[in-house]
Amino acid sequence: MAAALRHDWQNHEIEALFEQPFNDLLFQAHGVHRQHFDPNAVQVSTLLSIKTGACPEDCKYCSQSGHYNTGLEKEKLLEVEKVLSEAKAAREGGATRFCMGAAWKHPAAKDFPYVLDMVKGVRALGLETCMTLGQLSREQTEALAQAGLDYYNHNIDTSRDYYQHIISTRAFDERLDTLALVREAGIKVCSGGIVGMGESKRDRIGFLRELANLPQHPDSVPINNLVKIAGTPLQNAPDIDPFDFVRMIAVARILMPRSHVRLSAGREQMNEQLQSLCFFAGANSIFYGDRLLTTSNPRESQDMALFARLGIHPEPRKVSEDELEAEFSPPAQVSPLFHDAAAH
Ligand code: SAM
Ligand code: DTB
Ligand code: SF4
């Protein structure tokens, strides 16, 4: 029988997981993974930046912060129609979730009705919806839930102690406040962070401990490997040892056995062998599509080929109860990912 979920992890226990020999850690993580998931299924999400650049926050890793000169061209909030045509293309490509990100500290009242229309429109296409818009008020979380938003992404990014070295324009606890509002509104939580920002091993432990000890584990946990952006204070951050990156995935899997752990930004800088180790260690979600928000991602055809070589298939989208009640049938998804993987 699967062990009960824990929310009382101590630093020394997490440290002991990390300190195990690599093979022991991977064996344990993969065992946990198999207890809870099909080990050959990977959830596939596509990202779109719906409002780019000129962000008032000073996150030291980000191409979109207005505090640094990264040469990024800023863009106003995209038209709803444009977002829907991108979502359609993502669906045709085989994605089951569409994640929309905006470079805001928090959404402004004038933009919010458009954001709600995006949620409704993307959902009507038969895709799961995810938004990441910064800090939210209770009214906003409730309106998003009402519009049918499935997931809200709001990363804690690193340990509580290291946070102030990475972002000075907001406090760690404000992130937790928004996460609590998202949960209370009944929206699924997506929260994770970044490694490779010069953080210590202790910070990596503290970061995962913070997520695992939330009252409820995030449904989705993105682990990003820093994409170094010229012009940001972290442009020359030291690379994380690739085996330590795999260890992060493995420990996240053990601490949060039922959450999807996403191998997120930074895949383009990883070879396929490293990515497959991450899948073995318990990663079961990726960002799929040639672009992340402002940087590039492996080409779709490359990911399809990798899935096929590994015998991995995309995880089918779960149809929600209200959709079933409305006898909604999502458009038949002729997923090239699935067909390619099945052909091998
Ligand atoms: N502005 C909103 C916020 O910060 O909550 C949403 C968008 S923001 C770009 C979403 C997440 O993307 C960040 O929390 C961070 O974890 C990740 N991210 C941003 N830039 C990154 C980079 N250069 N490398 C890796 N991850 C990055
Ligand atoms: C997350 O954890 N990673 C995504 C998503 N949530 C919004 C963003 C990655 C951004 C990578 C850098 C860029 O493309 O700007
Ligand atoms: Fe703004 Fe989000 Fe980038 Fe921070 S991570 S600068 S909040 S877009």
Side-chain angles (χ1 to χ4, degrees):
M1 211 182 72
L5 297 182
R6 284 184 55 186
H7 301 270
D8 59 353
W9 286 93
Q10 302 294 313
N11 282 351
H12 69 90
E13 294 175 290
I14 302 178
E15 186 179 9
L17 291 174
F18 270 111
E19 293 304 320
Q20 292 180 85
F22 189 73
N23 285 342
D24 290 345
L25 173 59
L26 258 64
F27 181 74
Q28 186 183 353
H30 188 72
V32 171
H33 190 46
R34 272 183 182 265
Q35 279 187 320
H36 298 279
F37 291 100
D38 171 352
N40 303 309
V42 170
Q43 194 281 327
V44 171
S45 296
T46 291
L47 259 178
L48 176 69
S49 179
I50 58 169
K51 187 267 162 186
T52 306
C55 184
E57 304 278 62
D58 70 351
C59 311
K60 286 197 169 75
Y61 47 80
C62 188
S63 62
Q64 306 203 65
S65 167
H67 295 256
Y68 318 121
N69 185 3
T70 63
L72 183 74
E73 257 188 57
K74 57 181 185 197
E75 276 176 32
K76 288 202 291 245
L77 183 65
L78 297 182
E79 305 264 335
V80 177
E81 280 313 309
K82 167 79 178 153
V83 173
L84 298 187
S85 75
E86 296 281 342
K88 234 179 255 174
R91 189 189 70 191
E92 313 292 292
T96 55
R97 189 177 308 159
F98 195 63
C99 306
M100 296 159 268
W104 287 327
K105 181 177 181 68
H106 44 67
K110 70 170 174 42
D111 294 320
F112 211 63
Y114 300 103
V115 164
L116 297 178
D117 284 346
M118 290 172 194
V119 173
K120 290 178 199 155
V122 172
R123 201 160 194 262
L125 292 171
L127 286 160
E128 288 181 323
T129 52
C130 178
M131 285 260 169
T132 179
L133 313 168
Q135 191 172 27
L136 297 178
S137 66
R138 185 180 293 278
E139 292 68 33
Q140 287 172 329
T141 53
E142 284 168 1
L144 285 166
Q146 197 68 33
L149 183 69
D150 296 295
Y151 288 82
Y152 194 74
N153 166 248
H154 201 62
N155 289 345
I156 63 163
D157 278 320
T158 189
S159 70
R160 177 180 286 275
D161 291 344
Y162 200 52
Y163 201 74
Q164 59 203 306
H165 298 283
I166 298 297
I167 301 154
S168 79
T169 48
R170 62 176 182 244
F172 191 78
D173 281 326
E174 293 178 278
R175 297 300 265 189
L176 300 186
D177 292 344
T178 295
L179 288 175
L181 288 175
V182 169
R183 267 281 177 236
E184 278 169 39
I187 300 167
K188 294 192 196 72
V189 167
C190 172
S191 188
I194 313 179
V195 292
M197 300 195 293
E199 72 284 345
S200 64
K201 286 190 174 170
R202 207 179 160 70
D203 291 315
R204 290 181 195 150
I205 292 167
F207 157 59
L208 290 179
R209 179 183 174 199
E210 204 72 50
L211 291 173
N213 288 352
L214 286 171
Q216 211 178 320
H217 294 162
D219 302 272
S220 165
V221 179
I223 305 290
N224 297 278
N225 197 354
L226 177 72
V227 179
K228 294 179 204 173
I229 310 279
T232 63
L234 290 176
Q235 62 180 349
N236 296 318
D239 283 334
I240 174 174
D241 176 337
F243 296 118
D244 284 341
F245 187 84
V246 181
R247 284 188 174 94
M248 280 301 287
I249 300 275
V251 175
R253 167 52 62 230
I254 294 166
L255 300 185
M256 295 168 278
R258 294 197 195 139
S259 307
H260 278 79
V261 175
R262 182 176 300 138
L263 171 56
S264 304
R267 281 199 304 120
E268 206 177 33
Q269 289 72 41
M270 293 174 196
N271 65 27
E272 296 185 327
Q273 295 84 339
L274 177 58
Q275 293 183 57
S276 14
L277 262 185
C278 291
F279 294 134
F280 185 79
N284 59 348
S285 173
I286 58 164
F287 284 123
Y288 171 73
D290 304 358
R291 275 196 96 59
L292 292 166
L293 290 175
T294 67
T295 64
S296 54
N297 198 37
R299 287 194 320 277
E300 291 187 7
S301 54
Q302 220 173 310
D303 281 339
M304 277 186 232
L306 178 61
F307 273 23
R309 286 166 73 200
L310 298 177
I312 285 176
H313 58 269
E315 185 184 88
R317 182 177 90 92
K318 283 194 189 68
V319 179
S320 64
E321 277 173 27
D322 51 325
E323 280 170 335
L324 279 176
E325 267 169 35
E327 289 187 76
F328 170 89
S329 56
Q333 287 196 14
V334 185
S335 166
L337 276 165
F338 184 74
H339 285 289
D340 265 47
H344 284 72

